[in-house]
Amino acid sequence: MPGKKRLAVWKLASCDGCQLSLLDLEDELLRIAGAFEIAYFVEASSATAEGPYDLSLVEGSIATAHQAARIREIRRESRLLVPIGACATAGGIQALRNFRDFGPFATAVYPRPEQLDALETSTPVAAHVPIDFELRGCPINKRQALEVLSALLAGRTPKGGSHSVCIECKLRGTVCVMVARQLPCMGPVTHAGCGALCPAYGRGCYGCYGPMETPNTGSWSGWWQQRGMDEPDLRDVFRTFNAWAEAFREESERHGS
Amino acid sequence: MALRTVEVGYLARVEGEGSMRIVLRDGVLEEARFSIFEAPRFFESLLRGRKLDEAPDITARICGICPVAYQTSATQAMESALGIRLDDRLRALRRLMFCGEWIESHALHVFLLHAPDFLGYDDAIAMARDHREEVERGLKIKKIGNELIALLGGRAVHPINARVGGFHSAPHPRDLAPVRERLAWARDAALESVRWIGGFELPELERDYELVSLRHPERYPIDEGRLVSNRGLDIGADEFEAHFEEEQVPTSTAKHARRKGGGAYLVGPMARYSNNWDRLSPLGQQAAAEAGLGRVCRNPFQSIVVRAVEILYACEEALRLIDSYEPPEAPAVEAQPRAAVGFGWSEAPRGVLYHRYEVDVEGRIVSANIVPPTAQNQASIEEDLRELVLRNQHLDDEALRRLCEKAIRNYDPCISCATHFLRLEVERR
């Protein structure tokens, strides 16, 4: 298929949800398939083609030695490399192991952990190879994925803000759940992209898009300390799906080991 | 040459990373293996010490295809630990959201992942060149399932509205009107699809499975029931671990679940259908009969037809639940933590999904045990492969490989799910 951009979708340590978000572009899927050569997407097709690829979307974190080697091969074969989702951009929920002694952590689930192909840490793609852009979220917003694909076709840089979820609440007209209902909401320190879903459903944001650019996490913690949140809870609130993202990691470590 | 090896290093069109290996020596089957090489993520360890109300959101991340099932099994386990039971209105809302997951997950598998096997294509995109109408109809059904989850849950993948005790917020009846209209279309489209899939040519294979599924006194099982089988099993969730065990298989990457004192068993659409045919709607029963299904299904290749019937049922059931919807008095039941053990299960699209948690008086998780459907089906998958290879030795390697891959996809295996509880030994050849 000469002339068509070659797209590849890869899976590392993950739940498949971000790849699924691509398949959830039901209205666009057949047109995307017409605009690109889908050269490698094992979840969707038995047919795979060798690189090089114009765009590689990578779901999942690096959690095994095999994956650490594989991401280097993927980088070599890809003109543009875009990690998609919290696993690929921050190590994912499985990065909770990074804060613990791996031996006992693994033995609790596996009787013979020495036989596992598992690294002691789960780390983001960018800790291993240079990346060109990234899509945040657990899971990603499929509209953002469409933006990356459209940008590639048009030969431009994808658009994506670096503001907080708070801005999305204002745009949506949602009353602040932190002010009006005293719910702990990570919106002020969390990267936009979901459309401020949780506050619209009456719950505080739980930070699944990871830290916004230069978040004031210390101020956030101080606010909730004054309102009675204890240290283990403050630690854990920053330790979920983006626990290994630098700003959240550092703030969590201020409140416990 | 007397030695024949048929291998697939990385199975396509399944959720996660798995492989298959068949070895025949002089016509004798030496090995029929379905392996998992997905990276372990240690969910049961990382849940320890977390608050019990985090379990639904954390365990949802085990699987992006069936997060509602994880949230349902986890919330119900925690509710059992806390000693609360939701009223009919809240349970109806939970079941309604679950219908959305059955629709999207089954439609993904039927139209995008499995149908290409029966019509001879590498993927749905190639299939769409010749069967555009059917693929577009399937995509639209899938989209409506996702819309239902997103309406009630905020988004289709890892929805944010479910919580222990119910929901963060409940919809107003008028919010449901647009999706009701679309579900009515989806029900008719699903009926068309059952007819289309009923026309596929299916390979012959009948096996005498132990079919294990939930069964509910009134409804087709989705969100609740007792666990039953065609061999007399009839238990509550707190008895699961007394009847099932995991067995280490030295040559495999994964432990297989078995009935204690029994053997392999099968969970998922075929088991649900066979154990609950009488709980299907009249339209569902009629469509099943027209598509060639009996009251019991023992040919695993018919599972694609059963899935299509279950899509139809889930659309009808969602319509019924919307029509009888009354907003709950409060979106959730509140409860104080106590030291206890909680058990919960539900029928994920791929079969019964069991959760057990021990929680302390502070409301923190002491231990967790999660048994997903694909882990339970591994032994049956391998037994199917064995039977199929022995019957089809005359085929060339390529045809045999394709047949075996198709047989694995009968189970819609979700390897991402299976791995998080499996005790793995990874072997790469």
Side-chain angles (χ1 to χ4, degrees), chain B residues 266-285:
Chain B
L266 181 146
V267 301
M270 267 170 73
R272 278 195 298 261
Y273 174 88
S274 300
N275 292 338
N276 298 281
W277 179 89
D278 56 340
R279 300 281 186 264
L280 273 176
S281 59
L283 184 63
Q285 288 176 348

Side-chain angles (χ1 to χ4, degrees), chain A residues 11 15-16 23-24 26-27 42-43 45-46 94 105 109-110 112 115 138 201 203 233 236 239, chain B residues 13 38 40 45 50-51 57 61 64 122-123 142-143 146 151 155 160 248 364 416 422-423:
Chain A
K11 175 186 158 60
C15 79
D16 279 62
L23 296 176
D24 281 352
E26 291 96 353
D27 292 340
V42 176
E43 176 148 336
S45 177
S46 304
Q94 59 272 21
F105 193 75
V109 184
Y110 300 91
R112 283 173 286 165
Q115 294 178 338
C138 184
Y201 280 76
R203 80 181 279 190
D233 284 0
D236 286 353
R239 250 178 224 183
Chain B
R13 284 184 274 127
E38 178 96 12
S45 282
R50 302 299 299 213
K51 285 192 160 171
D57 288 322
R61 269 65 182 190
D122 281 332
D123 53 49
K142 175 173 169 298
K143 187 180 178 195
N146 278 330
L151 176 71
R155 62 186 172 199
I160 52 87
Q248 187 115 33
R364 290 196 183 267
S416 302
L422 292 168
R423 285 135 188 129

Side-chain angles (χ1 to χ4, degrees), chain B residues 79-97:
Chain B
E79 286 153 11
S80 99
L82 295 169
I84 54 175
R85 179 161 167 83
L86 308 196
D87 65 21
D88 289 349
R89 293 179 185 186
L90 281 171
R91 282 188 294 127
L93 204 51
R94 192 172 270 170
R95 185 171 169 91
L96 178 59
M97 187 154 106

Side-chain angles (χ1 to χ4, degrees), chain B residues 127-193:
Chain B
M127 188 172 78
R129 286 182 205 122
D130 303 323
H131 302 273
R132 185 142 190 131
E133 192 189 336
E134 286 84 3
V135 174
E136 284 186 343
R137 187 166 59 215
L139 283 169
K140 198 168 163 190
I141 293 171
K142 175 173 169 298
K143 187 180 178 195
I144 292 167
N146 278 330
E147 285 173 355
L148 180 56
I149 303 174
L151 176 71
L152 300 175
R155 62 186 172 199
V157 179
H158 305 327
I160 52 87
N161 194 25
R163 52 161 283 191
V164 174
F167 292 86
H168 291 280
S169 67
H172 189 278
R174 72 170 166 263
D175 300 336
L176 301 174
V179 80
R180 192 206 179 282
E181 198 173 309
R182 294 172 60 69
L183 279 163
W185 178 90
R187 176 192 52 200
D188 297 345
L191 188 57
E192 284 288 303
S193 298

Side-chain angles (χ1 to χ4, degrees), chain B residues 216-254:
Chain B
H216 183 268
E218 292 156 42
R219 309 267 171 220
Y220 199 77
I222 300 178
D223 52 319
E224 57 185 339
R226 288 175 66 78
L227 195 70
V228 304
S229 84
N230 53 332
R231 295 192 191 152
L233 181 77
D234 185 357
I235 58 171
D238 57 344
E239 300 170 273
F240 183 84
E241 289 174 56
H243 287 82
F244 294 88
E245 64 188 351
E246 303 155 59
E247 181 190 71
Q248 187 115 33
V249 181
T251 54
S252 173
T253 59

Side-chain angles (χ1 to χ4, degrees), chain A residues 11-18 20-21 23-27 29-31 33 38 40 42-47 63-64 66-67 70 87 93-94 96-97 100 102 104-106 108-112 115-119 138-139 181 194 197-198 200-203 206 208-209 230 232-233 235-237 239-241, chain B residues 10-17 38-46 48-51 54 57-58 61-65 104 108 112-113 122-125 128 132 135-136 139 142-143 146 150-162 168-169 248 364 405 409 416 419-426 428:
Chain A
K11 175 186 158 60
L12 303 172
S14 65
C15 79
D16 279 62
C18 291
L20 184 67
S21 298
L23 296 176
D24 281 352
L25 287 162
E26 291 96 353
D27 292 340
L29 196 60
L30 295 178
R31 274 183 289 146
I38 300 178
Y40 189 96
V42 176
E43 176 148 336
S45 177
S46 304
T64 67
H66 177 72
Q67 289 166 339
R70 193 146 158 232
C87 296
I93 187 75
Q94 59 272 21
L96 290 183
R97 76 169 89 149
R100 310 267 278 274
F102 182 69
F105 193 75
V109 184
Y110 300 91
R112 283 173 286 165
Q115 294 178 338
L116 293 173
D117 176 19
L119 296 172
C138 184
R181 294 179 57 186
C194 66
L197 287 177
C198 288
Y201 280 76
R203 80 181 279 190
Y206 60 89
C208 75
Y209 274 62
D230 66 18
D233 284 0
R235 177 197 63 202
D236 286 353
V237 85
R239 250 178 224 183
T240 61
F241 311 102
Chain B
Y10 187 176
L11 286 162
R13 284 184 274 127
V14 298
E15 290 92 14
E17 297 177 300
E38 178 96 12
R41 294 198 288 149
F42 306 100
F43 271 87
E44 287 152 330
S45 282
L46 62 84
R48 292 184 179 189
R50 302 299 299 213
K51 285 192 160 171
E54 293 184 293
D57 288 322
I58 291 178
R61 269 65 182 190
I62 291 174
C63 178
I65 326 288
E104 66 81 14
L108 170 73
L112 295 188
L113 308 185
D122 281 332
D123 53 49
I125 289 154
R132 185 142 190 131
V135 174
E136 284 186 343
L139 283 169
K142 175 173 169 298
K143 187 180 178 195
N146 278 330
L151 176 71
L152 300 175
R155 62 186 172 199
V157 179
H158 305 327
I160 52 87
N161 194 25
H168 291 280
S169 67
Q248 187 115 33
R364 290 196 183 267
E405 281 194 61
R409 285 189 206 103
S416 302
T419 301
H420 307 112
F421 99 105
L422 292 168
R423 285 135 188 129
L424 302 186
E425 301 162 43
V426 174
R428 286 177 199 285

